[in-house]
Amino acid sequence: MAQIEQSSGGKKKKGAQKKMSIHVDFTPMVDMNMLLITFFMLCTTMIKSQTLSIALPTNEKLQQEELQKAKESEAITLILDTSYDDKGGIKENTVYYYTGKPEAEFNGSQLVKSNIQVARFKGDDTEHGIRSILHKRNEAVLKKVEEQKDRWRNKEITEEQFQAEAKKIRNDEKLTRPVVIIKPLEGASWESLISALDEMQINQISRYQIGTLTDVDKAMVFETPEFKKAHSHEDK
């Protein structure tokens, strides 16, 4: 509380102004501030950090020996590449892919023929791009997962039951399922790698892993017209 004390000194001249000392006690105010701070801390929801969630391969990914045992018809290799503009910004992310084993014919050191093909990331477009290719190769799994999703939408099963059934379908050995190996080139951006991993989740592909490029992989990609055109300015 504030207190005003009037000084009572000795004799004073007639008409002299009286002197008063003011004393303010801040203790109650400090107590009130601490109570308010405690109240707001308990009642306020702290802001969660906004971080990017990246879909990485889980324990379901295959070991190299298991990949080698996979049927050739099930295997598909994605080679990721990124082209940049003159200012260093990302111009386009490209996917070079082949099914089964790499088939390359050389005339000396010159590549004559290969089974490499080119695709793009097309977002939600399931009719074009790499999503269409993966969608068709995992069509049996996607069809069964969609059936379970319809049951969940109709409230016949819970979300937990749907997730459990979807996991069983993804790992069902009786179904035709692709084995995907993702191989980024040296200049590939993180954006292209994240997009490729997202495609695994979108297309319900459980068997995939990030692999390393071979000399044959590089030779097939480097000789494609698309790669030469995308990187033509780098040679200047």
Side-chain angles (χ1 to χ4, degrees), residues 84-102:
Y84 300 87
D85 56 26
D86 296 334
K87 296 181 180 179
I90 295 176
K91 185 177 179 181
E92 188 175 32
N93 291 311
T94 307
V95 183
Y96 300 89
Y97 71 96
Y98 60 85
T99 58
K101 297 179 180 179

Side-chain angles (χ1 to χ4, degrees), residues 4-16:
I4 300 176
E5 298 177 356
Q6 183 176 343
S7 61
S8 56
K11 294 182 178 181
K12 297 182 179 179
K13 294 182 180 180
K14 188 177 181 180

Side-chain angles (χ1 to χ4, degrees), residues 136-152:
K136 290 176 181 177
R137 296 188 70 84
N138 204 34
E139 193 170 7
V141 171
L142 287 169
K143 184 177 179 180
K144 285 188 171 293
V145 170
E146 191 63 29
E147 290 174 357
Q148 295 301 320
K149 187 176 289 186
D150 288 337
R151 293 183 62 199
W152 171 53

Side-chain angles (χ1 to χ4, degrees), residues 1 25 29 50 60 77 101-102 115 119 128 132 195 202-203 210 226:
M1 296 177 63
D25 185 5
M29 186 177 292
Q50 301 295 322
E60 295 177 1
T77 301
K101 297 179 180 179
N115 63 337
H128 306 88
S132 172
S195 297
I202 293 169
N203 290 284
I210 299 173
E226 290 82 3

Side-chain angles (χ1 to χ4, degrees), residues 31-190:
D31 292 341
M32 182 181 67
N33 287 336
M34 293 302 297
L35 288 171
L36 287 173
I37 292 171
T38 304
F39 171 78
F40 287 124
M41 287 180 65
L42 294 175
C43 297
T44 302
T45 302
M46 299 299 179
I47 298 176
K48 297 180 180 180
S49 59
Q50 301 295 322
T51 56
L52 178 64
S53 178
I54 302 176
L56 294 175
T58 64
N59 292 332
E60 295 177 1
K61 69 177 183 178
L62 300 179
Q63 300 298 326
Q64 190 64 30
E65 293 180 359
E66 293 176 336
L67 284 171
Q68 292 174 354
K69 294 178 182 178
K71 296 179 181 178
E72 185 176 342
S73 59
E74 296 176 349
I76 178 170
T77 301
L78 309 182
I79 302 176
L80 310 179
D81 181 45
T82 303
S83 58
Y84 300 87
D85 56 26
D86 296 334
K87 296 181 180 179
I90 295 176
K91 185 177 179 181
E92 188 175 32
N93 291 311
T94 307
V95 183
Y96 300 89
Y97 71 96
Y98 60 85
T99 58
K101 297 179 180 179
E103 298 175 3
E105 296 181 11
F106 293 90
N107 184 4
S109 59
Q110 185 71 27
L111 180 67
V112 178
K113 185 180 179 181
S114 71
N115 63 337
I116 197 83
Q117 299 182 67
V118 185
R120 301 285 191 277
F121 292 109
K122 295 290 186 180
D124 295 333
D125 190 351
T126 57
E127 299 297 326
H128 306 88
I130 195 64
R131 182 170 301 181
S132 172
I133 297 163
L134 296 173
H135 188 93
K136 290 176 181 177
R137 296 188 70 84
N138 204 34
E139 193 170 7
V141 171
L142 287 169
K143 184 177 179 180
K144 285 188 171 293
V145 170
E146 191 63 29
E147 290 174 357
Q148 295 301 320
K149 187 176 289 186
D150 288 337
R151 293 183 62 199
W152 171 53
R153 292 191 187 114
N154 296 330
K155 297 182 179 180
E156 296 177 12
I157 57 175
T158 64
E159 183 178 357
E160 291 75 15
Q161 290 174 325
F162 163 69
Q163 294 295 345
E165 289 297 325
K167 186 175 181 180
K168 289 180 182 178
I169 294 170
R170 288 195 297 268
N171 296 310
D172 190 351
E173 296 181 357
K174 297 178 181 178
L175 298 175
T176 301
R177 300 174 298 150
V179 178
V180 183
I181 306 174
I182 304 169
K183 299 182 178 182
L185 285 171
E186 186 176 351
S189 65
W190 281 104

Side-chain angles (χ1 to χ4, degrees), residues 13-36:
K13 294 182 180 180
K14 188 177 181 180
Q17 187 177 2
K18 295 179 181 180
K19 293 183 178 180
M20 291 179 291
S21 61
I22 300 175
H23 173 70
V24 180
D25 185 5
F26 284 98
T27 304
M29 186 177 292
V30 173
D31 292 341
M32 182 181 67
N33 287 336
M34 293 302 297
L35 288 171
L36 287 173

